Amino acid sequence: MPELPEVEATRRGLDPSVRGRRVTAVRVRERRLRWPVPERLERELPGTVLAGAERRAKYLLLPAGPGTVLVHLGMSGSLRRLPDDTPIGPHDHVDLALDDGHLLRLRDPRRFGAVMWVTGDPSLDPRLAHLGPEPLSEAFDGAYLHAVSRGRRARVKSLLMDGTVVVGVGNIYASEALFAAGVHPHRAAGRVGRERCDRLAAAVKEVLAAAIEHGGTTLRDYAGIDGRPGGNAVRLAVYGRSGEPCLRCGASVRLTRRDARATYHCPGCQR
DNA sequence: CCTCCCCCCTGCGCGC
DNA sequence: TGCGCGCAGGGGGGAG
């Protein structure tokens, strides 16, 4: 999926095209996403005006009248802005038709994504309420990372991917940030010292910010709202490069698996 | 509380 | 060519 940079790239594309637009229709062709698409979405969203596009963690938030549309792209989701009459393709599960002759269309082959309708303060929604800080905010830094990781025996990579610790860092960018900081992904989180926490927090920010700049990473399904793939894949230093030489020291990039999830690291650079 | 494991789902690339 | 298997960017839930 889309990790934070891909969701943020989507948000940036979305914001100007939804701001002030009235929703004219909601069409749900497949309700069985991660959570069932609520019927209230079709009842309450049409006729409202979208205020813009926001993001919290990997969720997109579209405030609309009395509520907020919550969209998650899961592993394989993409949200596109298309002309009204665009033919429906496979896995095109939900359309929000707007009053400018375009629609927002969610395509999600694996259906791990979600489209929800929440009323009231969205930050109180159970999915958002317990999330950790945004990685690009000041709240996330080396001091914070050091404090929350004391006594933790889990791998530092797992900690980076734990949404209650910091949001938005998924499998690609966890590997990339750990490489950039020279920290071994399997090291116990509690045994990463203060200075290396500083480096790691800085690396997370740099890796994510650069990926946003480049429109996100497309491995397979991800596309921006204009349908174009992101340009960050060629910039990945270790992810997907097992057996190839490390760009810094030339050692062979190693692949390890946990739970059918890949981790890439350089045995020469990362301790 | 923390950590690990499994699951949800579809498609694709690989080896046989 | 066809088939079975493993794997893919997320994250919730439950067992221990």
Side-chain angles (χ1 to χ4, degrees):
Chain A
M1 140 171 320
E3 301 183 36
L4 185 146
E6 294 73 42
V7 179
E8 177 61 19
T10 299
R11 188 201 69 76
R12 291 183 183 188
L14 217 46
D15 187 61
S17 52
V18 301
R19 186 175 293 273
R21 296 269 68 82
R22 186 174 298 277
V23 178
T24 55
V26 174
R27 289 182 282 270
V28 179
R29 287 176 288 273
E30 175 56 83
R31 209 171 280 287
R32 297 171 303 165
L33 303 185
R34 169 168 207 99
W35 302 288
V37 180
E39 295 184 12
R40 283 184 70 189
L41 186 75
E42 289 115 299
R43 287 205 303 273
E44 298 180 23
L45 184 59
T48 64
V49 172
L50 298 173
E54 299 164 14
R55 180 189 58 75
R56 173 74 174 109
K58 296 171 189 166
Y59 289 91
L60 289 164
L61 286 75
L62 306 177
T68 303
V69 184
L70 215 60
V71 178
H72 198 291
L73 301 178
M75 289 278 267
S76 58
S78 61
L79 202 54
R80 305 267 304 271
R81 177 177 182 267
L82 299 164
D84 256 348
D85 55 359
T86 307
I88 297 156
H91 314 299
D92 286 342
H93 303 313
V94 178
D95 287 347
L96 307 186
L98 307 181
D99 63 358
D100 64 350
H102 286 73
L103 44 80
L104 304 180
R105 176 166 286 172
L106 177 76
R107 172 173 295 189
D108 184 7
R110 293 179 71 185
R111 292 194 276 120
F112 288 171
V115 181
M116 303 299 285
W117 173 243
V118 302
T119 49
D121 183 349
S123 70
L124 301 179
D125 183 273
R127 298 167 199 82
L128 304 186
H130 306 291
L131 294 174
E134 288 286 331
L136 296 174
S137 72
E138 288 182 12
F140 179 72
D141 61 11
Y144 167 81
L145 193 57
H146 188 254
V148 296
S149 57
R150 290 315 85 189
R152 301 285 294 265
R153 287 191 278 192
R155 293 167 161 76
V156 61
K157 180 179 178 240
S158 302
L159 202 80
L160 285 182
M161 294 176 64
D162 178 344
T164 65
V165 170
V166 60
V167 300
V169 182
N171 207 35
I172 296 178
Y173 300 112
S175 281
E176 293 295 309
L178 287 159
F179 170 75
V183 176
H184 197 292
H186 298 336
R187 174 174 287 270
R191 299 193 51 241
V192 180
R194 175 55 206 271
E195 253 180 64
R196 317 185 77 216
C197 282
D198 284 346
R199 266 195 278 160
L200 186 51
V204 166
K205 290 172 191 281
E206 284 159 21
V207 160
L208 295 178
I212 293 168
E213 287 288 305
H214 292 266
T217 299
T218 296
L219 298 180
R220 161 171 275 135
D221 299 295
Y222 172 73
I225 74 153
D226 56 3
R228 296 172 56 197
N232 196 64
V234 295
R235 305 185 69 263
L236 299 177
V238 286
Y239 189 91
R241 296 191 63 246
S242 58
E244 295 176 43
C246 167
L247 300 173
R248 188 191 287 147
C249 77
S252 183
V253 172
R254 282 257 281 273
L255 164 64
T256 49
R257 281 188 196 288
R258 194 94 200 139
D259 225 6
R261 202 149 282 170
T263 296
Y264 300 87
H265 80 279
C266 169
C269 297
Q270 294 174 257
R271 298 285 128 148

